Amino acid sequence: MTYRKIAQLANVSLSTVSKALSGSKEIREDLREEIIRIAIEQGYFAEKGRRKIEYAKNGAITAAIVCPEIISIAYAGEITAVKEAIEERGGLASIYVYDFDREQLNRIIETITVRNCADGIIMFPPGPFSTGHSIPIVGICSYDMDYDTIHSDVGAYFLDVVSYLKELGHREIVFVGETNTVSKLEAFRKSMEKCGLPCGEDSVYIIEERFEAIGYQAAKEIMGRSSLPTAVICAYDEIAMALIHSLTEKGIRVPEQISVVGINDIPMAAYSQVPLTTVRVFQENQGEIAVNLLYDKIFGRSEVIQHITVKHELVKRKSTGRARTEGEGQ
């Protein structure tokens, strides 16, 4: 696939194709997008990538790590593991952040592809997402997609958490999260249903904050209820730890009055005010598995799309206990 063929299909000049594929501002944005679309459909970037890989077989490759944020402790740990796995193989890693914005994610992938910034991408996508691009991609996520993925089974680990709490006698269980944790909310609702537990509107708190601020706000709202729930499942550990701190300040004992569970098992979860029961969903070798998949795709050793599910572990600590008896701690 050559510039001349792309120019013919787009009905433009060779210089216009060159400007479009080099990111020049001298042409209209809609025309640039049309030329890039044609180039992708005709396999121009895939062919270009193959030539580059042939050249790089005896040297280091460059991998792009595309993630929604780097402020999260969980994401930071995962990104670091991937980066180290790339560097251990002599490769170079670049990190791109899209701030949970799908349009920005599309722009980043397009930029990497068009400007040939990397040989492949390891991506932490925001949900089900199809790229339509020719560059090799491996996703670390909670979904099966149309490219290779390393994923945790969010439905399975929420069912484990809810089942565990039910075994401890909990029936009034609530979920605390934010707008970026919709998949976990869905898993919570399905798990409650499977366990035969009630899950109404008062069983869910979606707070318009991030991280610790969610836990503090949720504590205020929970304390305002006519009766306290016996257990709270938080979308991630930072929420749970802040919730425990705030509840304790208000005289609520954890776990005697309310049990609290987090997700991710971040390093300080074991050393929090009350050691946190949580779910470990990112395995130490996950970054290495993702990088191995990416290398196989880049060097053409695998043509089959693979979906690898990593095991999770429910880590039981002191923030959970048996449900309080009726009338106790109200």
Side-chain angles (χ1 to χ4, degrees):
M1 174 54 58
T2 64
Y3 274 20
R4 186 175 301 280
K5 180 64 175 178
I6 296 171
Q8 290 173 350
L9 292 171
N11 196 28
V12 297
S13 67
L14 289 175
S15 63
T16 300
V17 172
S18 176
K19 290 175 181 178
L21 299 183
S22 64
S24 172
K25 301 295 184 182
E26 295 180 23
I27 62 172
R28 302 190 320 272
E29 181 64 19
D30 61 330
L31 180 58
R32 186 186 75 87
E33 290 178 355
E34 175 64 11
I35 291 170
I36 289 173
R37 183 190 63 78
I38 291 171
I40 291 172
E41 288 180 352
Q42 296 300 312
Y44 170 78
F45 298 111
E47 183 179 324
K48 186 177 180 182
R50 284 193 294 271
R51 291 197 301 269
K52 181 180 177 183
I53 291 306
E54 286 299 317
Y55 174 79
K57 275 188 176 177
N58 295 320
I61 71 159
T62 299
I65 302 173
V66 181
C67 55
E69 64 184 5
I70 55 177
I71 191 173
S72 160
I73 295 172
Y75 276 126
E78 294 173 9
I79 292 163
T80 299
V82 171
K83 175 179 174 292
E84 290 176 349
I86 293 168
E87 292 174 346
E88 284 174 3
R89 300 188 62 155
L92 298 173
S94 300
I95 299 172
Y96 298 78
V97 181
Y98 62 86
D99 296 318
F100 293 97
D101 184 333
R102 284 177 183 264
E103 291 186 5
Q104 176 69 358
L105 175 57
N106 277 314
R107 286 193 294 269
I108 288 172
I109 294 174
E110 181 179 287
T111 297
I112 293 170
T113 304
V114 173
R115 298 187 182 178
N116 208 19
C117 301
D119 304 304
I121 296 173
I122 293 181
M123 180 171 67
F124 296 82
F129 178 81
S130 297
T131 65
H133 289 275
S134 55
I135 188 168
I137 293 178
V138 173
I140 297 179
C141 52
S142 300
Y143 306 87
D144 285 347
M145 306 204 190
D146 60 356
Y147 48 85
D148 292 77
T149 60
I150 312 292
H151 63 279
S152 56
D153 190 336
V154 63
Y157 68 70
F158 260 87
L159 184 58
D160 282 355
V161 172
V162 174
S163 298
Y164 166 62
L165 292 173
K166 183 179 179 181
E167 289 173 5
L168 292 175
H170 295 278
R171 288 188 56 80
E172 300 171 53
I173 305 171
V174 302
F175 172 84
V176 175
E178 48 144 305
T179 54
N180 292 321
T181 60
V182 173
S183 64
K184 293 179 179 179
L185 171 57
E186 292 175 356
F188 168 75
R189 284 177 167 151
K190 289 179 180 178
S191 298
M192 293 288 282
E193 182 180 355
K194 287 181 180 179
C195 289
L197 298 175
C199 183
E201 291 301 317
D202 60 348
S203 300
V204 174
Y205 292 89
I206 300 300
I207 309 296
E208 297 294 330
E209 299 283 354
R210 298 296 312 282
F211 304 110
E212 293 85 355
I214 298 173
Y216 292 124
Q217 181 61 35
K220 292 180 183 178
E221 296 190 22
I222 289 171
M223 290 294 293
R225 294 166 63 109
S226 58
S227 63
L228 296 176
T230 63
V232 181
I233 302 174
C234 298
Y236 47 84
D237 291 342
E238 291 94 330
I239 299 174
M241 292 165 67
L243 177 68
I244 291 172
H245 180 77
S246 188
L247 289 174
T248 302
E249 281 190 330
K250 300 177 189 306
I252 302 298
R253 301 188 308 280
V254 176
E256 290 84 0
Q257 291 174 270
I258 298 181
S259 288
V260 179
V261 180
I263 305 291
N264 289 331
D265 193 29
I266 61 176
M268 64 278 293
Y271 308 102
S272 61
Q273 184 175 4
V274 180
L276 182 64
T277 294
T278 183
V279 179
R280 185 176 297 142
V281 295
F282 183 79
Q283 304 298 315
E284 292 180 358
N285 65 340
Q286 187 167 319
E288 182 179 350
I289 294 171
V291 172
N292 287 341
L293 278 178
L294 186 66
Y295 269 68
D296 286 345
K297 275 293 184 290
I298 288 174
F299 291 113
R301 295 192 289 260
S302 173
E303 298 295 332
V304 178
I305 294 175
Q306 299 182 62
H307 302 300
I308 299 175
T309 303
V310 294
K311 296 179 180 179
H312 62 270
E313 179 185 357
L314 177 58
V315 183
K316 301 173 184 177
R317 298 194 181 104
K318 294 182 179 180
S319 69
T320 49
R322 295 205 63 81
R324 64 180 186 270
T325 57
E326 187 174 352
E328 179 185 354
Q330 297 296 313

